[in-house]
Structure formats: structure tokens, C-alpha cells
Amino acid sequence: MNGDHGKRPTIYDVAREAGVATSTVSRALAKPDRVNARTREHVLEVAKRLGYRTNPLARALPSGRTQTVALFVSDVTNPHFFGIIRGAEQQTRAAGCTLILGDTEESPDLESGNVERLSGSVDGFVIAASRMSDREIRELAGRHRLTLISRQVEGVPSAIVDHEDGTRQIIEHLASLGHTSVVYLAGPRRSWLAAKRWQVIRTTARQFGMSATRLGPFPPAVRGGAAAADAAFGHGATAAIAHNDLLAIGMLRRFAARGLRVPDDISVVGYDDIFGADFCSPPLTTLAGQFEEAGRLAVDLLLGSRDGHRRSRSASQVVLPSHLVIRDSTGPAPARQ
């Protein structure tokens, strides 16, 4: 049975049908330990019979909780985020909560604006690949519960795949193949990871006697690959490291269109090991990591903070291992005439 005239039943309908006060219904649904067991069972039976469903925001009024977590990613079309989303969803569901997803379109203004607008509707925020500055993130974290993925800011909980060690693996791999010149095709200017990767590329390349040049920024998508490929080959490098797999795949397409052979003429490496990285031609050498686990850990850090659990600073800055997946897009350095 529904409420009058087919409308969705309200808490007042349940109270009237059960013959109790609305405050009793509210306690039976939100704080069952404060209601007599027989009364609680009676209220729940009536609510079920009427088809009454609690509103998360209304339920949050007495408890301060919505049982909802927001996850923001910088580009929802990027397959890199699929594992993060899946891991966050699994952990949120296991905690009895609901995950909502938002696409911030590489915009720091959208990130901060969405946090402010949704602050009363969710228990906290997980932000993946944030484009905000450290200062902006600290200010938001001072007012709202939030954790980060693929970004580190002092004092803010985060989960990240080890891109520093992974980038060293890339340079060591290319050095072992005889490469002496490498270019990094950088992602968005506001990308924290792009800056960190370039630091490691430059330092490690110097240790191996290699030259390293940063080019870009380029859109972190397949469409950015043509310009990135032209820039890399025009620079004369024997190996190119793309900001992510989508950019690398776009580069492979461009090289093929120009009649250049990968890896005979130039080697290409990506990041993320997305679905499809082994389907392209040639299959892509790329850095892989535990991105699903990063999604799970970020939610766990957030909900642990929500529940008042004390965590050490080291425990809130989680770094997960990465590993280089070597495929056919890298090979011995070509001899330059």
C-alpha cells in the first residue's frame, strides 16, 4: 500500500498507521537501540507494508551521516580510472554505504565547487588525480573529510601507486636496451604526477648517461598522440615515455600513419596498463599498479576518519607497489645516421 493518491508514503503516514508519534518512527529507523524492541518491530513492519523508504538526507539530520561517499575523477572516460572506481565501489558497499561518481573534467574549479555543493549530502570525498594546488587541497581538507588518490599532500590521507620506483624501472629498462636519448611527453600542466615523473626521469637518466627532454603538455588522451608523436620523433629521441597509455596509443597510431616502425625506429612506453594496452599494435610496454586497491584504501582511509579512528601519519600516506609490463613497443635503440 502507498500513501494517499499514489504519493510516496512519508514518515507521517507510517506514524499514523502505526499509531505512534513521528519521533518514535524516526528513532526506530535511525536509532533503533533507543526504541522498545516490540515497538521497533511494529514500526518496521508498518513501514515495509506501506513501502516507506528513508531519505538519506533526512536520515542524516539526527545521525549526522548520509552513508554516502563521493568519488571525483579528472576524466571519467579514461580507462585508467575504471579500476579505481571499481575498488572504491567495492569498499563503499562493504561498509554499507553508497558511492556517487563525479567527473571534474580536469578542472580544479569543478573539484572544489563540487565539494562545497555536496558537503551536506555526503559523508566525505575521495578525489582521484586532483588538479587543485596543495594549498587548495589543504583548505578543503580543513573543512571537509577527504582523501586523495594519485596525489600526495602533507597532512591529507592518500593512496598512490609508486610512480617514482616505477619510473626508475622504465629508465633502467630503456638503458638496458641501449637507449641514450629519451623524451617525456607530459600531461596537463596541473598534473602532480607529471611533475613527479619528470623529476625521476631527469635524475635517473642522468645516472645512466642518457639525455632526457620534457615536451608538452599534451592532452592525456588518444587525440593528443599525433602532436606528441611528431614532437618526439622530431626531437631525435630513440625512446618516448608518454604521460599515460591513451596518449601512448595515440602516438602508436601516428607513427604507423607516418610509416615509422615501433620499436625499430623509436620505442614507446606508457603509464597505467589500461584495458586495451595489450591490444594495440604493437602491444604497449607500460607501468602497471594496484589501482583497484588504491580505490579501496582511499575509501577505507576516509571512512576510518569518519568513524573517529586514529591513524598514524605514515598509515594515512599509503604507497602501493608498481611494476613494468614489458611488451613489444620497446626494443633495442636504433642506430641514428
Side-chain angles (χ1 to χ4, degrees), residues 42-56:
H42 175 59
V43 169
L44 293 177
E45 187 278 327
V46 171
K48 181 179 180 180
R49 175 158 47 84
L50 294 180
Y52 173 75
R53 294 183 180 180
T54 57
N55 183 307

Side-chain angles (χ1 to χ4, degrees), residues 181-233:
S181 176
V182 61
V183 289
Y184 174 52
L185 294 313
R189 292 186 188 279
R190 291 181 176 271
S191 171
W192 180 84
L193 280 178
K196 291 297 182 183
R197 289 167 179 170
W198 169 239
Q199 291 175 5
V200 179
I201 289 171
R202 182 176 53 187
T203 301
T204 310
R206 187 182 302 121
Q207 294 171 355
F208 282 91
M210 303 167 67
S211 67
T213 303
R214 174 174 176 164
L215 303 175
F218 298 96
V222 172
R223 70 178 184 277
D230 290 349
F233 196 76

Side-chain angles (χ1 to χ4, degrees), residues 104 107-117 127 132 136 140:
T104 57
S107 168
D109 293 335
L110 276 179
E111 286 182 34
S112 58
N114 286 344
V115 169
E116 297 292 4
R117 279 190 292 273
I127 304 178
M132 291 185 289
E136 290 171 318
L140 276 183

Side-chain angles (χ1 to χ4, degrees), residues 111 127 129-142 146-160 190-193 196 301 312-319:
E111 286 182 34
I127 304 178
S130 175
R131 302 310 188 208
M132 291 185 289
S133 68
D134 287 3
R135 177 185 58 80
E136 290 171 318
I137 290 174
R138 289 193 188 97
E139 288 179 355
L140 276 183
L146 68 86
T147 60
L148 303 171
I149 298 176
S150 299
R151 178 69 182 272
Q152 287 181 326
V153 174
E154 181 68 23
V156 181
S158 64
I160 187 170
R190 291 181 176 271
S191 171
W192 180 84
L193 280 178
K196 291 297 182 183
L301 288 168
S312 68
R313 176 173 297 181
S314 61
S316 67
Q317 298 279 335
V318 181
V319 179

Side-chain angles (χ1 to χ4, degrees), residues 68-206:
T68 305
V69 171
L71 168 64
F72 297 143
V73 299
S74 58
D75 180 4
V76 76
T77 66
N78 187 339
H80 161 65
F81 292 111
F82 294 172
I84 288 173
I85 294 168
R86 183 180 298 112
E89 165 64 24
Q90 291 172 348
Q91 194 68 13
T92 306
R93 186 171 62 248
C97 298
T98 299
L99 183 73
I100 62 173
L101 177 65
D103 181 2
T104 57
E105 303 175 17
E106 301 282 351
S107 168
D109 293 335
L110 276 179
E111 286 182 34
S112 58
N114 286 344
V115 169
E116 297 292 4
R117 279 190 292 273
L118 288 174
S119 61
S121 304
V122 300
D123 289 347
F125 302 89
V126 177
I127 304 178
S130 175
R131 302 310 188 208
M132 291 185 289
S133 68
D134 287 3
R135 177 185 58 80
E136 290 171 318
I137 290 174
R138 289 193 188 97
E139 288 179 355
L140 276 183
R143 299 191 301 271
H144 310 285
R145 297 187 181 96
L146 68 86
T147 60
L148 303 171
I149 298 176
S150 299
R151 178 69 182 272
Q152 287 181 326
V153 174
E154 181 68 23
V156 181
S158 64
I160 187 170
V161 167
D162 193 343
H163 286 269
E164 293 189 19
D165 179 67
T167 299
R168 282 191 288 268
Q169 293 178 45
I170 292 173
I171 297 298
E172 290 170 358
H173 169 63
L174 294 174
S176 75
L177 294 171
H179 292 275
T180 58
S181 176
V182 61
V183 289
Y184 174 52
L185 294 313
R189 292 186 188 279
R190 291 181 176 271
S191 171
W192 180 84
L193 280 178
K196 291 297 182 183
R197 289 167 179 170
W198 169 239
Q199 291 175 5
V200 179
I201 289 171
R202 182 176 53 187
T203 301
T204 310
R206 187 182 302 121

Side-chain angles (χ1 to χ4, degrees), residues 245 270-275 277-278 284 286-289 291 323 325 327:
D245 288 350
Y271 283 89
D272 300 337
D273 194 25
I274 64 172
F275 177 79
D278 55 341
L284 184 64
T286 180
L287 189 71
F291 295 106
H323 64 279
V325 179
R327 300 192 180 104

